[in-house]
Amino acid sequence: MKKFFTLALVAAASVSGVAGVNVASVKGVQVDKSATTIKVRKGVAGEARKTRADISEYEKYTWTLIGDGKYQSSAIAGTYDASTDLMPVKVYEAEGHKGVYKAVGVWADILKVDTQALIVDASNPDCVFVPKQYTGINDQVDNETYIASQTWVFQDDQGFTADEIIAGVPDLVPTLKNSIITFPAKSLVLNWPNAPEDSSYDTDPEAWYIGGEDAGCLVLPGGEYKDPWTLYGKATMSGDWLFGCFGKTAADYETEVYVATEDATKFKVKTALKGIFTALNFNATSPDIELDATDSQNVELPMTSTKINGGAEDGLYYILNDQYLSNLNNETAEESLRATLTVDDEKAVFSFPAQSLLLYASTSNGLYYGNKTEALITVSLAHSGVNNVAVESDNAPVEYFTIQGLRVAEPQSGSLVICRQGDKVSKVIVK
């Protein structure tokens, strides 16, 4: 790969704490341990710590079963390449401590037992805490794996109040609403306190590590989970999706694209890099990537971990596109490098011009071109599973939007649109 320039400071700041990562490297390492800037500062928050129970106190509570729930793993799934499906759990509530829950049966796909518990303190629904606790998982390199929420680390280890956390890092705050506790992307972190000094991952026993890029949730009994993503269609990835960077020949591969249920301008491409993973013989699951098509002629690919490690010199690679980088630096992307989304009745095509995809190297703080030739995502709308969706009638007015999110007063016959009526959102092919 030929390095062509270095990230400006404002862009570098967005991943300033990433270091010591070992993921899908050329040696086949498949555990993602992306360090955050969070460090345990012993003794700094002594007074703050006294205001909250640590995990040993929670374990003394008396627990009452309140029913069946579901748990969607994020940090553990992202780190150990496990399932992100909603899994059944038993949910208990602490007697005399409203909003403090214990989910039993978490990470059963990894542990092969359904007895492991996760304690979650949602007594403040606007700032939920996951106190530091053992997951039951023993890492083959770094020994016992512990989990916590960043909210807990910020408060109990660094002395910030809940209000300060909500104001300072709102995107990292788990919340409880409508019987669902939502864990935003990167809100849960992991710690290996007994990692050996000669850890092959260079793990710092006093550091917290982001477990993955995905969001997760705990659905309490009675909660109705609404999937934030709706299938947009089957897709073909073609052209140079990092193949040229690693000296491989480009090959087409199939995947799926989803559209945000409540925002038709946001998309998720599942296992978007599995083509290069296959070419490099990585026995791991490729990450998803998200696309922002608010402006269909300037589509953004936000910086996302590739799970590919460039070794001591480069560290973990992140993928992004020129449009996203330009926005970070308050600049305008060159027209020839702008990614676009075009849609007709049968397909949607995301097009990334040659050299518009970039790889950011977290250790060297440099950038590489990610595609020597055009890279395409072609979505077949005929296989989206939404043919002639009927709109339920109620008292709310019906609104129509294009796939790019633009309001349409009178959609044309045969066109695919987003239909919103009250709190119901669906994709509709207009008859």
Side-chain angles (χ1 to χ4, degrees):
M1 293 184 290
K2 183 178 180 180
K3 190 182 299 184
F4 68 100
F5 65 90
T6 301
L7 269 176
L9 180 60
V10 65
S14 65
V15 288
S16 59
V18 179
V21 258
N22 291 269
V23 188
S25 71
V26 292
K27 295 182 180 179
V29 177
Q30 296 157 16
V31 177
D32 189 346
K33 294 182 178 177
S34 305
T36 74
T37 54
I38 299 172
K39 284 274 192 173
V40 176
R41 296 190 291 176
K42 295 181 178 179
V44 172
E47 293 302 316
R49 240 186 239 118
K50 293 177 183 177
T51 66
R52 297 186 55 78
D54 64 20
I55 193 63
S56 62
E57 291 300 313
Y58 285 105
E59 290 172 341
K60 294 177 183 178
Y61 293 167
T62 299
W63 300 90
T64 300
L65 178 65
I66 60 173
D68 294 328
K70 293 182 179 180
Y71 178 70
Q72 182 181 42
S73 179
S74 54
I76 292 297
T79 299
Y80 291 105
D81 201 29
S83 174
T84 57
D85 293 341
L86 280 171
M87 301 290 193
V89 292
K90 297 290 184 182
V91 181
Y92 296 74
E93 187 169 20
E95 294 183 7
H97 301 276
K98 182 176 176 58
V100 179
Y101 301 102
K102 179 166 64 174
V104 178
V106 292
W107 315 306
D109 55 325
I110 297 176
L111 296 170
K112 308 304 180 185
V113 296
D114 59 3
T115 55
Q116 182 61 41
L118 176 69
I119 292 174
V120 180
D121 187 340
S123 53
N124 178 352
D126 295 324
C127 189
V128 174
F129 295 89
V130 176
K132 179 182 178 180
Q133 56 199 282
Y134 176 47
T135 63
I137 298 171
N138 287 321
D139 186 287
Q140 293 182 352
V141 173
D142 289 333
N143 303 310
E144 296 87 352
T145 304
Y146 282 73
I147 193 170
S149 61
Q150 292 216 41
T151 49
W152 184 88
V153 177
F154 285 137
Q155 185 178 58
D156 287 80
D157 280 327
Q158 299 190 4
F160 293 98
T161 67
D163 288 342
E164 289 172 333
I165 296 169
I166 294 171
V169 285
D171 293 343
L172 296 177
V173 178
T175 57
L176 168 60
K177 184 178 181 181
N178 297 329
S179 297
I180 297 177
I181 297 173
T182 301
F183 302 106
K186 302 182 181 180
S187 63
L188 296 178
V189 289
L190 304 176
N191 169 244
W192 289 269
N194 297 312
E197 292 185 2
D198 60 349
S199 168
S200 58
Y201 295 127
D202 297 322
T203 302
D204 182 348
E206 294 190 350
W208 286 98
Y209 292 79
I210 293 174
E213 303 284 337
D214 294 325
C217 66
L218 172 60
V219 182
L220 302 175
E224 294 186 8
Y225 176 76
K226 184 177 182 180
D227 196 322
W229 298 99
T230 302
L231 180 65
Y232 186 50
K234 303 289 186 180
T236 300
M237 307 282 287
S238 57
D240 186 7
W241 283 95
L242 307 188
F243 288 97
C245 291
F246 298 97
K248 300 297 181 180
T249 301
D252 294 357
Y253 53 99
E254 305 302 312
T255 186
E256 295 177 334
V257 174
Y258 290 76
V259 60
T261 305
E262 297 184 353
D263 186 346
T265 68
K266 306 297 191 297
F267 299 86
K268 177 188 288 187
V269 185
K270 296 293 290 183
T271 57
L273 304 179
K274 65 180 180 181
I276 190 61
F277 270 48
T278 299
L280 294 173
N281 295 316
F282 289 157
N283 184 24
T285 302
S286 155
D288 304 334
I289 60 172
E290 294 186 17
L291 303 173
D292 185 337
T294 301
D295 181 348
S296 62
Q297 298 306 300
N298 294 278
V299 176
E300 291 187 33
L301 193 170
M303 189 179 293
T304 304
S305 168
T306 65
K307 292 189 176 182
I308 300 174
N309 189 345
E313 179 180 352
D314 276 350
L316 184 67
Y317 293 122
Y318 286 74
I319 189 172
L320 64 155
N321 76 327
D322 188 80
Q323 177 63 34
Y324 179 75
L325 177 63
S326 296
N327 286 349
L328 281 180
N329 292 320
N330 296 314
E331 298 173 351
T332 301
E334 294 182 22
E335 186 171 355
S336 62
L337 295 176
R338 294 176 186 174
T340 60
L341 168 61
T342 57
V343 183
D344 59 32
D345 291 347
E346 296 182 352
K347 65 181 182 300
V349 180
F350 295 89
S351 175
F352 295 85
Q355 299 184 339
S356 66
L357 292 174
L358 308 173
L359 276 187
Y360 169 66
S362 58
T363 300
S364 64
N365 196 36
L367 281 175
Y368 302 95
Y369 288 122
N371 61 328
K372 295 181 179 180
T373 59
E374 184 180 40
L376 299 173
I377 307 172
T378 303
V379 187
S380 173
L381 302 180
H383 297 91
S384 64
V386 294
N387 294 321
N388 297 321
V389 176
V391 179
E392 296 184 25
S393 60
D394 57 28
N395 295 326
V398 178
E399 300 173 287
Y400 296 99
F401 302 84
T402 68
I403 296 301
Q404 291 78 29
L406 301 177
R407 188 185 297 275
V408 179
E410 297 181 0
Q412 296 181 352
S413 176
S415 62
L416 177 69
V417 296
I418 301 296
C419 175
R420 182 172 68 191
Q421 185 173 29
D423 60 355
K424 300 181 180 67
V425 179
S426 59
K427 285 190 295 182
V428 178
I429 295 178
V430 181
K431 297 180 179 180

